[in-house]
Amino acid sequence: MEEAKLRKYEHALVISGVGVIAFGIWSVIKATIYFILIPMEQLTKTGEKDVVVGLQSLGLTDRGIGYLIAVSILFVLMLDFALRLYIGKAAVHDGRRLKKKRFTYGVLAIIVAASLTLNLVQRCILLGSGDALLWGDVMASANVSVIVDITSLLALIEMIVAAIMVRRLRRELGISGKEAE
Protein backbone atom coordinates (compact mmCIF):
# COMPACT_ATOMS: atom_id res chain seq x y z
CA MET A 1 0.00 0.00 0.00
CA GLU A 2 2.77 2.43 0.93
CA GLU A 3 4.71 1.51 -2.21
CA ALA A 4 1.69 2.40 -4.36
CA LYS A 5 1.49 5.79 -2.63
CA LEU A 6 5.20 6.28 -3.21
CA ARG A 7 4.83 5.53 -6.94
CA LYS A 8 1.86 7.91 -7.12
CA TYR A 9 3.80 10.76 -5.52
CA GLU A 10 6.91 10.02 -7.59
CA HIS A 11 4.79 10.25 -10.73
CA ALA A 12 3.25 13.52 -9.50
CA LEU A 13 6.77 14.81 -8.81
CA VAL A 14 7.87 14.05 -12.38
CA ILE A 15 4.76 15.57 -13.96
CA SER A 16 4.85 18.73 -11.86
CA GLY A 17 8.61 19.07 -12.47
CA VAL A 18 7.96 19.09 -16.22
CA GLY A 19 5.16 21.60 -15.60
CA VAL A 20 7.51 23.93 -13.73
CA ILE A 21 9.91 23.86 -16.68
CA ALA A 22 7.08 24.49 -19.17
CA PHE A 23 5.74 27.44 -17.18
CA GLY A 24 9.27 28.86 -16.99
CA ILE A 25 9.47 28.76 -20.79
CA TRP A 26 6.04 30.38 -20.97
CA SER A 27 7.08 33.29 -18.73
CA VAL A 28 10.00 34.12 -21.04
CA ILE A 29 7.79 33.87 -24.15
CA LYS A 30 5.09 36.02 -22.51
CA ALA A 31 7.56 38.76 -21.59
CA THR A 32 9.06 38.71 -25.07
CA ILE A 33 5.62 39.16 -26.61
CA TYR A 34 4.89 42.10 -24.31
CA PHE A 35 8.13 43.78 -25.33
CA ILE A 36 7.19 43.34 -28.97
CA LEU A 37 3.80 44.96 -28.33
CA ILE A 38 5.03 47.87 -26.17
CA PRO A 39 6.94 50.70 -27.85
CA MET A 40 10.39 51.12 -26.26
CA GLU A 41 9.74 54.79 -25.51
CA GLN A 42 6.77 53.81 -23.34
CA LEU A 43 8.97 51.61 -21.15
CA THR A 44 10.85 54.70 -19.97
CA LYS A 45 7.59 56.13 -18.58
CA THR A 46 7.31 53.20 -16.17
CA GLY A 47 10.68 53.85 -14.50
CA GLU A 48 11.64 56.20 -11.71
CA LYS A 49 11.93 59.80 -12.89
CA ASP A 50 15.29 60.36 -11.14
CA VAL A 51 16.80 57.26 -12.72
CA VAL A 52 15.48 58.20 -16.17
CA VAL A 53 16.87 61.74 -15.85
CA GLY A 54 20.22 60.33 -14.72
CA LEU A 55 20.36 57.96 -17.68
CA GLN A 56 19.38 60.77 -20.06
CA SER A 57 22.20 62.91 -18.67
CA LEU A 58 24.56 60.10 -19.66
CA GLY A 59 23.41 60.54 -23.25
CA LEU A 60 20.83 57.77 -23.52
CA THR A 61 17.67 58.47 -25.48
CA ASP A 62 14.22 57.36 -24.41
CA ARG A 63 14.49 54.49 -26.86
CA GLY A 64 17.91 53.50 -25.45
CA ILE A 65 16.57 53.58 -21.91
CA GLY A 66 13.64 51.44 -23.05
CA TYR A 67 16.05 48.88 -24.50
CA LEU A 68 18.09 48.95 -21.28
CA ILE A 69 14.96 48.27 -19.23
CA ALA A 70 13.88 45.50 -21.62
CA VAL A 71 17.29 43.81 -21.51
CA SER A 72 17.34 44.05 -17.71
CA ILE A 73 13.91 42.49 -17.42
CA LEU A 74 14.78 39.73 -19.88
CA PHE A 75 17.98 39.02 -17.91
CA VAL A 76 15.96 38.62 -14.72
CA LEU A 77 13.51 36.39 -16.59
CA MET A 78 16.35 34.21 -17.84
CA LEU A 79 17.60 33.85 -14.27
CA ASP A 80 14.06 32.90 -13.25
CA PHE A 81 13.92 30.36 -16.07
CA ALA A 82 17.30 28.90 -15.07
CA LEU A 83 16.03 28.52 -11.50
CA ARG A 84 12.81 26.87 -12.67
CA LEU A 85 14.79 24.61 -15.01
CA TYR A 86 16.97 23.47 -12.10
CA ILE A 87 13.92 22.89 -9.88
CA GLY A 88 12.04 21.00 -12.58
CA LYS A 89 14.99 18.83 -13.62
CA ALA A 90 15.78 18.00 -10.00
CA ALA A 91 12.15 17.02 -9.38
CA VAL A 92 12.11 14.80 -12.49
CA HIS A 93 15.39 13.12 -11.50
CA ASP A 94 14.19 12.62 -7.94
CA GLY A 95 10.80 11.30 -9.04
CA ARG A 96 12.34 8.82 -11.47
CA ARG A 97 15.05 7.84 -8.96
CA LEU A 98 17.77 8.74 -11.45
CA LYS A 99 19.80 10.68 -8.91
CA LYS A 100 19.56 11.14 -5.21
CA LYS A 101 18.75 14.82 -4.93
CA ARG A 102 18.98 16.98 -1.87
CA PHE A 103 15.83 18.78 -0.88
CA THR A 104 17.38 22.07 -2.01
CA TYR A 105 15.12 22.11 -5.04
CA GLY A 106 12.12 21.93 -2.70
CA VAL A 107 13.31 24.96 -0.76
CA LEU A 108 13.95 26.83 -4.02
CA ALA A 109 10.46 25.84 -5.19
CA ILE A 110 9.00 27.31 -2.01
CA ILE A 111 10.86 30.57 -2.68
CA VAL A 112 9.63 30.69 -6.30
CA ALA A 113 6.07 29.90 -5.16
CA ALA A 114 6.23 32.68 -2.57
CA SER A 115 7.44 35.21 -5.14
CA LEU A 116 4.75 34.10 -7.58
CA THR A 117 2.13 34.46 -4.84
CA LEU A 118 3.35 37.98 -4.04
CA ASN A 119 3.23 38.85 -7.74
CA LEU A 120 -0.36 37.60 -8.00
CA VAL A 121 -1.39 39.51 -4.87
CA GLN A 122 0.22 42.67 -6.27
CA ARG A 123 -1.70 42.26 -9.54
CA CYS A 124 -4.97 41.78 -7.67
CA ILE A 125 -4.34 44.90 -5.59
CA LEU A 126 -3.59 46.92 -8.72
CA LEU A 127 -6.75 45.62 -10.39
CA GLY A 128 -8.84 46.38 -7.32
CA SER A 129 -7.44 49.88 -6.84
CA GLY A 130 -8.72 51.04 -10.22
CA ASP A 131 -5.56 53.05 -10.88
CA ALA A 132 -4.88 53.64 -14.54
CA LEU A 133 -1.73 51.86 -15.57
CA LEU A 134 0.76 53.43 -17.94
CA TRP A 135 0.91 50.32 -20.03
CA GLY A 136 -2.77 50.60 -20.92
CA ASP A 137 -4.33 47.86 -22.99
CA VAL A 138 -1.22 45.67 -23.02
CA MET A 139 -1.29 45.32 -19.25
CA ALA A 140 -5.05 44.78 -19.33
CA SER A 141 -4.45 41.81 -21.60
CA ALA A 142 -1.64 40.72 -19.26
CA ASN A 143 -4.21 40.30 -16.52
CA VAL A 144 -5.61 37.39 -18.51
CA SER A 145 -2.29 35.64 -17.91
CA VAL A 146 -3.10 35.62 -14.19
CA ILE A 147 -4.88 32.32 -14.81
CA VAL A 148 -1.69 30.85 -16.28
CA ASP A 149 0.32 32.17 -13.32
CA ILE A 150 -2.15 30.60 -10.89
CA THR A 151 -1.77 27.29 -12.74
CA SER A 152 2.02 27.65 -12.48
CA LEU A 153 1.67 28.26 -8.76
CA LEU A 154 -0.50 25.18 -8.38
CA ALA A 155 2.10 23.08 -10.23
CA LEU A 156 4.77 24.35 -7.84
CA ILE A 157 2.60 23.60 -4.81
CA GLU A 158 1.87 20.10 -6.13
CA MET A 159 5.58 19.53 -6.67
CA ILE A 160 6.43 20.69 -3.15
CA VAL A 161 3.79 18.42 -1.59
CA ALA A 162 4.86 15.47 -3.74
CA ALA A 163 8.53 16.01 -2.86
CA ILE A 164 7.73 16.06 0.85
CA MET A 165 5.59 12.93 0.60
CA VAL A 166 8.23 11.10 -1.48
CA ARG A 167 10.87 11.91 1.15
CA ARG A 168 8.63 10.72 3.96
CA LEU A 169 7.54 7.51 2.22
CA ARG A 170 11.09 6.63 1.14
CA ARG A 171 12.28 7.08 4.70
CA GLU A 172 9.44 4.89 6.05
CA LEU A 173 10.13 2.17 3.46
CA GLY A 174 13.90 2.40 3.77
CA ILE A 175 14.35 3.15 0.06
CA SER A 176 17.21 5.30 -1.14
CA GLY A 177 16.58 8.05 -3.68
CA LYS A 178 18.64 6.36 -6.40
CA GLU A 179 17.48 3.39 -8.42
CA ALA A 180 19.55 0.26 -7.88
CA GLU A 181 21.59 -0.46 -10.99
Side-chain angles (χ1 to χ4, degrees):
M1 184 66 173
E2 294 295 317
E3 289 180 16
K5 274 186 180 179
L6 176 61
R7 283 193 306 274
K8 174 185 148 190
Y9 283 116
E10 286 175 338
H11 182 70
L13 191 59
V14 170
I15 297 298
S16 57
V18 171
V20 168
I21 294 170
F23 284 118
I25 293 170
W26 165 246
S27 68
V28 173
I29 291 171
K30 178 178 66 170
T32 305
I33 290 172
Y34 290 150
F35 287 130
I36 291 171
L37 296 176
I38 298 173
M40 286 299 151
E41 291 83 9
Q42 194 171 3
L43 278 177
T44 61
K45 295 178 185 174
T46 63
E48 294 287 325
K49 298 294 181 197
D50 297 338
V51 175
V52 172
V53 169
L55 289 173
Q56 286 174 339
S57 69
L58 292 173
L60 288 174
T61 63
D62 283 348
R63 188 172 189 86
I65 294 171
Y67 282 125
L68 181 66
I69 291 171
V71 166
S72 300
I73 291 173
L74 285 176
F75 177 73
V76 170
L77 280 171
M78 293 310 288
L79 286 177
D80 177 61
F81 173 68
L83 183 63
R84 288 178 188 240
L85 182 65
Y86 171 76
I87 292 168
K89 283 178 67 174
V92 169
H93 287 300
D94 198 15
R96 289 187 178 160
R97 298 184 194 178
L98 297 174
K99 289 184 181 177
K100 182 165 174 55
K101 291 300 214 176
R102 293 182 181 259
F103 196 68
T104 307
Y105 74 91
V107 174
L108 291 173
I110 291 170
I111 293 169
V112 170
S115 69
L116 192 55
T117 302
L118 290 174
N119 186 8
L120 288 169
V121 167
Q122 178 188 14
R123 281 190 194 175
C124 291
I125 289 172
L126 285 175
L127 282 174
S129 69
D131 292 336
L133 297 175
L134 290 174
W135 295 35
D137 294 334
V138 175
M139 283 309 290
S141 66
N143 293 328
V144 173
S145 71
V146 168
I147 295 169
V148 176
D149 288 343
I150 290 172
T151 308
S152 173
L153 178 63
L154 292 175
L156 275 166
I157 291 171
E158 181 181 6
M159 191 197 77
I160 293 166
V161 169
I164 291 170
M165 292 303 295
V166 164
R167 295 284 173 182
R168 183 182 310 159
L169 289 169
R170 282 181 183 164
R171 188 175 42 237
E172 286 177 9
L173 295 172
I175 299 172
S176 72
K178 188 169 179 181
E179 189 77 44
E181 294 179 20

